[in-house]
Amino acid sequence: GKKIEKQTIDQIVDSILELEEGTRIQVLAPVVRGRKGEFVKQLEDYQKNGFIRARIDGTMYELGEDEISIDKKKKHNVDLVVDRLVIKDGIRSRLTESVETALKYANGLVGVDVVGGEPLLYSQNYACPDCGISIEELTPRMFSFNNPFGACPSCTGLGFLMKMDEDLIIPDKDKTL
């Protein structure tokens, strides 16, 4: 029931630094989210810009070293690994720099992959200031029932669930099948 507002870089960094000391994290730039394509040219450009690793559909790849084959007919998520850090005193400036880089490449989004924990998503565009929940930029496809991004997760946009009612199949449970 509260207004979703933009988060500043300092608010994002403060939220990340609230993680338990000693927690290992990866700062990610989610550059592709649910789009079809091979992204060969983009990955080459990222490598030229100094990025070493990318996570494609949950699998980690070394840019320039690993053979990356992406099916252009399926939707993919590509995250650039901007930095790998351990939460402790004295990392604020490096973390701030990494968050700024991720925000620049991912159009205002930054992901934090917490090793052994839940991944976090922060948005420079839309986030709750109290609880810290971030959402990506609102797009028309989020409100379309026949698009996977806007579809109900239970019925996948069909509007009904196909379930069996055990009582209708076996009306008298005292009898054998």
Side-chain angles (χ1 to χ4, degrees), residues 90-161:
I91 65 161
R92 177 177 282 280
S93 62
R94 181 173 168 183
L95 180 61
T96 303
E97 211 172 286
S98 300
V99 167
E100 286 174 353
T101 303
L103 291 169
K104 182 177 96 177
Y105 279 91
N107 298 322
L109 287 176
V110 62
V112 177
D113 186 22
V114 180
V115 177
E118 285 290 313
L120 305 170
L121 178 68
Y122 296 98
S123 172
Q124 201 174 19
N125 303 320
Y126 303 101
C128 175
D130 293 334
C131 60
I133 293 176
S134 296
I135 59 170
E136 59 188 288
E137 188 172 348
L138 298 175
T139 58
R141 69 181 181 172
M142 292 176 163
F143 300 97
S144 176
F145 70 92
N146 60 354
N147 186 302
F149 282 87
C152 165
S154 300
C155 70
T156 62
L158 297 175
F160 61 90
L161 293 175

Side-chain angles (χ1 to χ4, degrees), residues 42-54 62-64 80-83 101 104-105:
Q42 276 182 287
L43 292 173
E44 287 174 3
D45 289 344
Y46 295 137
Q47 183 188 357
K48 288 176 187 172
N49 289 336
F51 291 98
I52 299 167
R53 293 176 193 83
E62 300 275 334
L63 296 177
L80 293 176
V81 178
V82 177
D83 205 353
T101 303
K104 182 177 96 177
Y105 279 91

Side-chain angles (χ1 to χ4, degrees), residues 10-26:
D10 290 334
Q11 288 173 321
I12 294 170
V13 170
D14 289 340
S15 178
I16 295 170
L17 288 174
E18 287 176 8
L19 292 170
E20 189 175 318
E21 191 166 324
T23 304
R24 295 171 53 208
I25 63 168
Q26 292 186 108

